[in-house]
Each structure stands twice: as structure tokens, then as C-alpha cells.
Amino acid sequence: SSSGSGSSNIRRKPVIILVVGMAGSGKTTLMHRLVCHTHLKDIRGYVMNLDPAVMTLPYAANIDVRDTVKYKEVMKQFNLGPNGGILTSLNLFATKFDEVISVIEKRADQLDYVLVDTPGQIEIFTWSASGAIITEAFASTFPTVVAYVVDTPRSEDPTTFMSNMLYACSILYKTRLPLILTFNKVDVAAHQFALEWMEDFEAFQTAASSDQSYTSTLTQSLSLVLDEFYNNLKSVGVSAVSGVGMEAFFNAVETSAEEYMETY
Ligand code: GDP
Ligand code: MG
């Protein structure tokens, strides 16, 4: 009923949740928590790992890039360092991504969500050809949303907060997909400060003005840019460790998926 004119080729389900964020923001731990939540609530999930270099996963993946490409082998074979190895591994996997899409299409009737973990280093997914190919392959077939994971305790520093928001902003405009700001680790620091800064840029400026490394005019201009960005997204506070915020997260995913269906 809410599907727009361009959505005729896109099924309603499953919804793809791309979990992206800075290294150490807690993507993999959050994946584990989300998987637990789906089991608990009888939500039908499918789980995918796209990090070629992760040593051990806390969750069981239905599709794991490591089953197809061995990143250490790729490093040796192409004489690459770790980052080149990860990037090349993901490129190799991306060339076969149509197979991944057909696997999901075959199971589509039995699935509510596909949860996708991405490499630790954010730019390997967000600023690479393979990341773009994979995102596009998902988004042209299923409703797709981006969960941008933020390390909340680290973002209490205004400069870090702004860098993180600018990065999220760049992902929103690059992918043009609904984005959920997912403030993680709220067991350590509540995300209330972030909501206040997003609602009232003067509150942010006051906090930032104590930081000598930012000129007030630059901060002011950037806050205004971000103000428009904030209007275009949802934010939730979660803890991958305590499990707080899971309902809010999935509610935001549902609203974002509706938004996707209306837009595409
Ligand atoms: P990734 O690189 O984004 O996949 O991050 P990881 O999931 O590997 O987590 C990085 C670190 O943050 C690990 O030490 C986790 O235990 C920790 N971490 C992740 N989520 C939370 C959380 O919600 N609360 C706390 N306190 N620590 C977390
Ligand atoms: Mg990880």
C-alpha cells in the first residue's frame, strides 16, 4: 500500500541491514546482539560476514566471505599489505555477488532481515568499488538500510563527534539509502548529549568552543550543514553488550524500510 511507483521490482522482504561504522565502534559485537535478538523474538534472519580479516566471529554466519577468499593467501599471491589484502579479497568476492543475491532471493519468502557485517576499517567498504557494487546489488533487489554504528563514549569529544557525523553524512549522500545513527555502547555513556547536540547546534557550539583545534566559524558552518543532515535520519541508542535498545533499533529499521519502499 505504501509502495511508491518505482518499487515494482523490489520485494517487501527481506530488509537488508548494512552494519557500517569506524573500526572498534562495535559492529561485530552488535551483529551478535542483533542475531540473539532475532532468535529470541522469532524474527527470521540471515547473517552475512563481509570482513575477510576477522579472526573469530561471535555469531554464526550463513554467508561468510572467509569461506570464499583467504585474505592471507591473497596478500601473498598479490604481494600486498594487510589493507590491500582485505580490499582485494572484497573485490574478488564482489565479482561473485550476483550468486549471493540469488541465494537470498531463493529464500526471500522465509526471511525478514539480512544482517550484514562489514570490514573493521570503514573506508574498505564505503570508499571502494566493491563496497559500491555490493551496496548497489542489495539496494536494487531488496529494501536496504544502513546502520551507522557510533562509538558513543568516544564521541563525547565534540571534534570526534563532528568527524563521525560528517562521515555518516558522506555515506548518506553516497548511498542515498535510509541511515540509522546507531549510538552504541550506551552501557558506558548515554547518548543523550548527542541527541541534544543534534537538536540544538548552539549547544554543540558551546561544547566545541572549549576545543581550541576548531575555529568557531568552521564549526558554525559545519553545524549548519549537519543540521540539514540530522533532519534526514533516525537515531537510536543501543548497547551490544547489555542488549538495550534492540526494539528501538528494529523499529527504526522498519520505518527506514518503509521510507525506502516509498522512494525507490
Ligand atoms: P568492530 O571493529 O566495529 O567490529 O568492533 P567490535 O565489535 O570488534 O568491538 C570493538 C570493541 O568494542 C570490543 O572490545 C567490544 O567488546 C567493544 N564493544 C562493542 N560493543 C560494545 C558495547 O555495547 N558496550 C561496550 N562496553 N563495549 C562494546
Ligand atoms: Mg568487526
Side-chain angles (χ1 to χ4, degrees):
S1 57
S2 64
S3 60
S5 52
S7 64
S8 52
N9 295 327
I10 292 173
R11 291 165 171 267
R12 176 69 187 77
K13 293 259 165 176
V15 176
I16 313 289
I17 307 173
L18 293 174
V19 179
V20 302
M22 300 287 178
S25 58
K27 298 180 288 296
T28 299
T29 317
L30 181 62
M31 283 285 296
H32 176 53
R33 177 58 65 184
L34 296 171
V35 171
C36 291
H37 184 82
T38 60
H39 292 166
L40 224 67
K41 300 283 171 180
D42 271 330
I43 300 167
R44 301 166 307 168
Y46 204 62
V47 188
M48 197 178 301
N49 169 46
L50 293 182
D51 187 351
V54 68
M55 302 280 264
T56 53
L57 283 181
Y59 56 85
N62 298 99
I63 295 180
D64 192 332
V65 59
R66 297 176 305 166
D67 296 337
T68 308
V69 278
K70 309 285 177 206
Y71 112 95
K72 290 216 165 124
E73 298 295 317
V74 171
M75 271 174 74
K76 268 187 225 143
Q77 191 186 341
F78 297 95
N79 197 24
L80 298 163
N83 277 330
I86 297 168
L87 190 64
T88 305
S89 298
L90 201 62
N91 285 340
L92 292 169
F93 193 66
T95 62
K96 298 183 180 173
F97 213 74
D98 53 329
E99 291 171 34
V100 174
I101 296 292
S102 25
V103 167
I104 300 169
E105 273 182 317
K106 277 189 201 113
R107 290 162 196 265
D109 293 335
Q110 295 116 54
L111 295 175
D112 298 313
Y113 300 105
V114 178
L115 296 158
V116 185
D117 199 358
T118 59
Q121 306 288 334
I122 187 168
E123 62 276 12
I124 288 176
F125 190 75
T126 55
W127 294 103
S128 67
S130 52
I133 288 166
I134 290 169
T135 304
E136 176 58 29
F138 276 135
S140 60
T141 322
F142 307 106
T144 305
V145 306
V146 175
Y148 185 84
V149 184
V150 178
D151 186 324
T152 309
R154 283 198 61 189
S155 299
E156 285 183 302
D157 169 46
T159 309
T160 307
F161 180 78
M162 180 169 273
S163 318
N164 218 337
M165 291 306 111
L166 288 170
Y167 206 102
C169 187
S170 73
I171 291 173
L172 179 76
Y173 288 106
K174 199 165 188 287
T175 64
R176 308 213 163 249
L177 293 171
L179 189 141
I180 304 162
L181 277 181
T182 309
F183 289 99
N184 188 30
K185 311 193 186 183
V186 297
D187 58 297
V188 178
H191 71 302
Q192 188 56 36
F193 73 90
L195 298 179
E196 278 161 20
W197 287 351
M198 289 164 69
E199 232 157 70
D200 174 6
F201 81 88
E202 283 178 5
F204 175 76
Q205 281 175 344
T206 306
S209 62
S210 61
D211 186 335
Q212 298 302 315
S213 69
Y214 261 71
T215 71
S216 59
T217 47
L218 178 61
T219 308
Q220 192 161 340
S221 316
L222 290 175
S223 322
L224 289 169
V225 171
L226 286 172
D227 203 46
E228 180 57 32
F229 164 67
Y230 297 146
N231 290 331
N232 286 305
L233 41 85
K234 284 155 209 68
S235 29
V236 291
V238 300
S239 167
V241 165
S242 80
V244 117
M246 290 303 110
E247 298 284 350
F249 178 84
F250 279 100
N251 287 341
V253 168
E254 278 306 307
T255 318
S256 299
E258 290 297 332
E259 195 184 298
Y260 175 98
M261 293 305 285
E262 276 156 24
T263 315
Y264 296 87

